[in-house]
Amino acid sequence: MVYAVVRAGGRQEKVEVGTIVTMDRIKADKDGIVELAAVLLVDGDKITTDSKSLADVKVTAEVLNDLRGPKIVIQKFKNKTGYKKRQGHRQELTRVQITGIA
């Protein structure tokens, strides 16, 4: 059983080959392939956490589609001053499928 923990847009995700991950928007090359940085690699009983060894590890993913997350409403209110502020936000996301861990 081989899996890796990768850095995915400010978060870390545990991935195996075939896993579909939704992460912050990233740019892919013209073929739709993205390379993710590994933080940890588990290959059976062998666990790799050394940064020099992880520099050789390549986790590749194929971009499936770009999408937007749910709308988040931010409201600020201060009592007795008449201050009200309302703001919305939708995060830009990318859905990728892991194609290889080498």
Side-chain angles (χ1 to χ4, degrees):
M1 179 167 139
V2 178
Y3 68 89
V5 175
V6 296
R7 198 171 301 128
R11 295 180 204 59
Q12 293 179 353
E13 297 279 344
K14 177 184 170 185
V15 297
E16 298 175 11
V17 175
T19 305
I20 296 176
V21 179
T22 303
M23 62 180 72
D24 290 340
R25 180 72 54 95
I26 53 175
K27 293 279 188 183
D29 62 1
K30 62 180 180 166
D31 299 328
I33 304 296
V34 177
E35 208 168 285
L36 302 172
V39 177
L40 174 105
L41 176 69
V42 176
D43 188 3
D45 293 334
K46 184 180 174 190
I47 299 173
T48 306
T49 58
D50 182 35
S51 61
K52 291 180 183 179
S53 301
L54 289 173
D56 300 334
V57 175
K58 295 191 187 313
V59 178
T60 57
E62 176 187 353
V63 173
L64 299 177
N65 61 345
D66 290 330
L67 58 137
R68 298 181 76 196
K71 180 144 189 169
I72 297 171
V73 177
I74 300 112
Q75 289 185 328
K76 295 181 181 181
F77 174 80
K78 295 202 181 203
N79 196 13
K80 300 177 188 170
T81 62
Y83 174 77
K84 293 186 288 188
K85 184 176 181 182
R86 183 174 176 193
Q87 179 181 355
H89 176 76
R90 287 185 73 180
Q91 186 68 32
E92 302 285 323
L93 302 172
T94 300
R95 184 170 285 141
V96 298
Q97 182 172 14
I98 305 300
T99 56
I101 299 173

